[in-house]
Amino acid sequence: MERVNNTLLTAFILTGIPYPLRLRTFFFVFLLLIYILTQLGNMLILITIWADPRLHARPMYIFLGVLSVIDIGISSVTVPRLIMNFTLGIKPIPFGGCVAQLYFYHFLGGTQCFLYTLMAYDRYLAICQPLHYPVLMTAKLSALLAAGAWVAGSIHGALQVILTFHLPYCGPNHVDYFFCDIPAVLRLACADTTVNELVTFVDTGVVVASCFSLILLSYIQIIQAILRIHTAEGRRRAFSTCGAHVTVVTAYYVPCAFIYPRPETNSPLDGAAALFPTAITPFLNPLIYTLRNQEVKLALKRMLRGPRTKSEV
């Protein structure tokens, strides 16, 4: 414990997730494999969108490319530290490293939250207003909206970091979590955290509730529009396109709703719930968006086949 004459902490120790010692090697290999596949899968999505001119100029795939960048970043911020917890020895994280980890997690998480809302709005326009969609959602506008999501996410992350680390931290230094997140870090502050907990609840609650409400409204309209499609094939394609997004959104929002509305609690289930937005969802996104998206699968096949000669066309 790094506490000498009430001096401020210079490092934290992440206690990680409780686990049976006999499964240490299994969890290490499992999480390392998940992390490597997450990076490779999302890089493959990015390369496919960039390499295929039919995809990289379309709003839906601009958003999907941004989502892949976020997934690469958010898993890199949290999962390597989690993997280190399954190795021998105590590995403290410097105070500045903890600040950076909390900032980038909430910066990328906030951006992802806004991006999911934009993706739902994009699907709403494509399905509910198909004739006006090319005019209402252009590639330039989608790029501007994605940039706005990055800016909003950075503001959200900066606000959370400033509120969390303006408090003094003089001991103890054991963060009962697998990464530096607001509820776990606030428990170590040497000051009253009531205002911080309230602001965190309001800020995170407003962001999550607003984005989720807009997504829900979009999909109510989308479902109504799909049910009006006369052909079974048309309904199947529309549901398939939106099904991937609904799956990802559910896996993202449910754990957030479980963790942040009650920052004062310390449940072992919080760590398990946090694995979804930090490790599981970034791993599943490439699988969901390739296996359920016919255009991405065709683009992958075209990319793997390589350029076709004139005689093959």
Side-chain angles (χ1 to χ4, degrees):
M1 189 181 300
E2 300 190 9
R3 184 177 183 177
V4 182
N5 297 327
N6 291 328
T7 56
L8 298 180
L9 294 176
T10 59
F12 293 99
I13 295 173
L14 302 173
T15 61
I17 298 174
Y19 64 94
L21 287 177
R22 66 180 182 277
L23 296 178
R24 181 198 296 269
T25 304
F26 168 78
F27 283 125
F28 175 83
V29 174
F30 174 74
L31 287 168
L32 181 61
L33 186 62
I34 288 289
Y35 178 69
I36 293 172
L37 291 176
T38 297
Q39 303 305 303
L40 293 176
N42 282 289
M43 283 298 299
L44 183 61
I45 291 286
L46 277 174
I47 293 170
T48 302
I49 292 173
W50 176 80
D52 196 309
R54 307 180 198 189
L55 297 185
H56 65 233
R58 293 177 57 185
M60 176 181 174
Y61 296 102
I62 291 174
F63 294 142
L64 182 56
V66 174
L67 180 62
S68 292
V69 173
I70 293 172
D71 284 338
I72 289 171
I74 208 164
S75 63
S76 297
V77 166
T78 56
V79 177
R81 268 285 164 180
L82 175 60
I83 294 172
M84 288 176 63
N85 288 330
F86 296 102
T87 60
L88 296 174
I90 297 174
K91 299 168 183 64
I93 180 172
F95 189 90
C98 190
V99 174
Q101 190 178 51
L102 192 148
Y103 169 73
F104 281 107
Y105 175 70
H106 281 275
F107 163 39
L108 294 169
T111 304
Q112 191 171 34
C113 190
F114 297 124
L115 184 68
Y116 283 147
T117 309
L118 294 176
M119 293 173 76
Y121 179 63
D122 175 71
R123 292 301 84 206
Y124 160 76
L125 291 178
I127 293 173
C128 298
Q129 301 187 44
L131 297 179
H132 299 94
Y133 176 74
V135 177
L136 294 174
M137 184 62 75
T138 62
K140 182 178 180 180
L141 177 60
S142 61
L144 289 173
L145 290 173
W150 283 109
V151 172
S154 67
I155 293 172
H156 170 72
L159 175 63
Q160 296 300 336
V161 164
I162 292 169
L163 287 172
T164 302
F165 289 102
H166 87 282
L167 298 172
Y169 291 88
C170 50
N173 70 338
H174 284 70
V175 178
D176 194 15
Y177 215 50
F178 66 90
F179 70 100
C180 291
D181 199 12
I182 298 167
V185 172
L186 283 181
R187 296 186 199 108
L188 307 181
C190 303
D192 181 45
T193 61
T194 304
V195 174
N196 290 73
E197 291 173 1
L198 179 61
V199 173
T200 298
F201 174 78
V202 171
D203 176 45
T204 306
V206 166
V207 170
V208 171
S210 300
C211 291
F212 185 75
S213 297
L214 290 171
I215 292 171
L216 186 62
L217 288 173
S218 296
Y219 273 95
I220 289 173
Q221 297 294 321
I222 288 170
I223 291 171
Q224 290 176 346
I226 290 175
L227 293 177
R228 289 195 295 266
I229 297 176
H230 298 295
T231 64
E233 177 63 18
R235 287 195 296 270
R236 187 196 64 78
R237 290 185 61 185
F239 273 121
S240 177
T241 302
C242 299
H245 187 229
V246 172
T247 303
V248 170
V249 166
T250 302
Y252 176 81
Y253 279 101
V254 171
C256 292
F258 181 80
I259 296 168
Y260 294 106
R262 43 190 194 85
E264 73 285 350
T265 62
N266 184 19
S267 169
L269 294 176
D270 289 351
L275 283 174
F276 279 88
T278 57
I280 305 301
T281 303
F283 166 70
L284 291 177
N285 276 349
L287 297 175
I288 291 170
Y289 281 106
T290 53
L291 295 177
R292 296 181 62 92
N293 191 305
Q294 191 65 26
E295 290 179 313
V296 174
K297 287 192 286 187
L298 291 173
L300 274 170
K301 290 177 182 177
R302 287 194 295 268
M303 185 177 69
L304 293 173
R305 283 201 307 263
R308 301 173 68 182
T309 63
K310 291 183 178 179
S311 60
E312 294 175 317
V313 177

